[in-house]
Amino acid sequence: MIIFPHIPKTGGTTLLNHFQTYKGADNVLSLGPNSRVHRFFTSQPQLEEADTRALANAFCIQGHGVDETTTLYANPDTIRLMVVLRSPDGHTRSRFNHRRSAMHKKTGRILTTDLFMARFYTPDFQCSYLVKKFPSFVDDPSADLLEQARSVLRKFNYVLATDCLDDQFARIAPTLGLPPHLTRKRSVENKAPLDISSADILASQTRDTAIVNQIAAHAGADASDHFNPFGFDAEGQKRALTHLKARQDDGIFTAAYDQLASCLCASSKAESALFLLRKRPDAVAVKSPSLLYDTIERRWARTAATASEVQLAKSKRHKRRVRNTLRLAAAAQFDTENIRSRTDPTM
């Protein structure tokens, strides 16, 4: 199984589409904000509560929500870790447009360069992302961020760069049993310029730049088994996975509920989730509906206190939609039972 943490705006969607096309959508599992919300409202369990037999044949688990705990769902003897990083200048500008589009859709406001730099910009974003998501993979927590990120990446089988993705993926595709040619399906229209120079961006992204440059320069002589410009550390990967398995506990399920509650609030669907849990807890595929209800309720109380009118109105619309769906389902069930009672003499 491939475990693929998708760093935002690095080309992960291209690989996701490729995997789903040739391995089947049912064998490529997504773990992130959108997939958590989708699973909740379609009566599917969160990945952390899914039947392990359903995960056994999965080709890949990917998404923005993938972290080191996701490795617990894979066979340690067959696990393969993959990640894609992107040149900091293009990555920063792409993140700006993504945030700008999301903010306008959610609140009606326009994200400016100043606001983006103040609220969303992070120096060496990708190195920080890796270290935060995979702390058990760090050899020396006291080391510089660059060395910490390198120690994480050494435990990945495949480390690719967006700017070289076509060529690099073509080298490893035969090992994965996949066609080598990728097709890109997503693009952002009406891109807005980020009013900051490339030099200024790169000045605060020196570690990310060093990482990506090393990936881009990799000749790929090791591609028959792995593709890692930092030197694949198989023993280090094994130690990290063993350490994670040893300290596995029930806290992982509580964390899953926290993440789901956060995703529901961010998408203005917390009220509709609470309504569904009150009216039809049997229709929700979670092991503890009461715990999830309390978790969502607490987080939504904090979120609603600072939410915009646009967000609150959106929340009400989602709730009405769920309420109407339940009413229609109840009416359909009543009609079915009524017809059966009139035609079945045993009833």
Side-chain angles (χ1 to χ4, degrees):
M1 180 190 292
I2 292 175
I3 302 296
F4 178 19
H6 179 183
I7 301 176
K9 312 315 297 177
T10 57
T13 302
T14 296
L15 289 178
L16 170 63
N17 290 332
H18 196 69
F19 294 164
Q20 289 178 331
T21 298
Y22 294 103
K23 293 297 182 178
D26 291 342
N27 295 319
V28 180
L29 307 178
S30 294
L31 181 58
N34 292 335
S35 62
R36 284 198 182 278
V37 172
H38 175 74
R39 282 179 169 271
F40 176 85
F41 284 109
T42 54
S43 299
Q44 299 180 66
Q46 297 298 302
L47 192 63
E48 292 83 354
E49 293 185 337
D51 188 334
T52 54
R53 290 172 296 182
L55 302 176
N57 296 322
F59 172 75
C60 173
I61 301 177
Q62 72 81 41
H64 302 318
V66 170
D67 60 19
E68 62 180 26
T69 63
T70 313
T71 63
L72 296 170
Y73 310 117
N75 183 335
D77 295 327
T78 59
I79 190 173
R80 288 173 289 182
L81 292 162
M82 174 184 289
V83 71
V84 180
L85 293 92
R86 183 175 181 178
S87 60
D89 186 38
H91 184 247
T92 300
R93 297 181 191 283
S94 184
R95 287 187 64 234
F96 167 69
N97 273 278
H98 178 74
R99 287 283 186 180
R100 185 175 184 272
S101 176
M103 177 177 285
H104 185 260
K105 183 178 180 180
K106 183 183 293 186
T107 68
R109 292 185 294 157
I110 300 297
L111 179 65
T112 63
T113 294
D114 289 343
L115 183 57
F116 172 77
M117 297 301 291
R119 287 187 56 186
F120 303 114
Y121 182 76
T122 303
D124 296 312
F125 175 89
Q126 296 171 92
C127 284
S128 299
Y129 186 98
L130 288 166
V131 170
K132 181 180 179 181
K133 292 281 190 176
F134 292 85
S136 297
F137 284 40
V138 175
D139 293 331
D140 181 6
S142 66
D144 178 78
L145 178 62
L146 176 59
E147 184 50 42
Q148 290 188 52
R150 281 175 171 155
S151 69
V152 170
L153 290 171
R154 280 193 288 269
K155 298 170 184 66
F156 276 65
N157 302 71
Y158 309 112
V159 182
L160 313 176
T162 306
D163 306 85
C164 314
L165 190 58
D166 291 310
D167 291 338
Q168 291 181 344
F169 182 78
R171 293 176 180 272
I172 67 172
T175 304
L176 302 176
L178 289 166
H181 302 296
L182 298 171
T183 302
R184 284 166 174 74
K185 296 184 178 181
R186 286 184 63 177
S187 62
V188 177
E189 299 179 358
N190 301 320
K191 291 184 178 180
L194 179 64
D195 191 19
I196 183 172
S197 70
S198 297
D200 286 339
I201 291 174
L202 296 178
S204 61
Q205 302 278 352
T206 56
R207 296 173 181 85
D208 278 9
T209 300
I211 289 283
V212 174
N213 285 347
Q214 190 169 347
I215 300 171
H218 187 48
D222 56 351
S224 59
D225 298 313
H226 44 266
F227 190 97
N228 191 322
F230 308 97
F232 176 52
D233 181 5
E235 286 302 314
Q237 183 192 87
K238 184 177 179 180
R239 284 195 305 272
L241 296 178
T242 300
H243 172 71
L244 283 165
K245 192 70 175 177
R247 63 184 182 87
Q248 181 182 7
D249 57 35
D250 291 337
I252 191 171
F253 302 114
T254 304
Y257 286 3
D258 287 337
Q259 292 175 27
L260 174 57
S262 176
C263 298
L264 288 165
C265 290
S267 59
S268 300
K269 295 179 179 179
E271 282 190 291
S272 53
L274 291 171
F275 180 82
L276 185 59
L277 284 164
R278 282 197 306 271
K279 299 296 184 180
R280 286 290 309 278
D282 58 303
V284 180
V286 295
K287 292 183 177 179
S288 179
S290 60
L291 175 60
L292 179 58
Y293 186 95
D294 292 342
T295 304
I296 298 172
E297 188 175 47
R298 285 195 303 271
R299 185 174 285 272
W300 177 242
R302 296 195 300 270
T303 302
T306 58
S308 68
E309 292 184 5
V310 173
Q311 290 170 293
L312 293 175
K314 183 179 178 182
S315 177
K316 298 299 182 186
R317 287 198 302 273
H318 282 306
K319 183 179 177 180
R320 284 197 299 271
R321 196 172 300 140
V322 169
R323 183 177 60 222
N324 291 338
T325 299
L326 291 182
R327 285 176 175 172
L328 290 172
Q333 183 178 3
F334 176 81
D335 290 342
T336 300
E337 292 176 351
N338 193 28
I339 292 171
R340 187 183 304 152
S341 67
R342 288 182 296 183
T343 58
D344 188 346
T346 65
M347 295 185 67

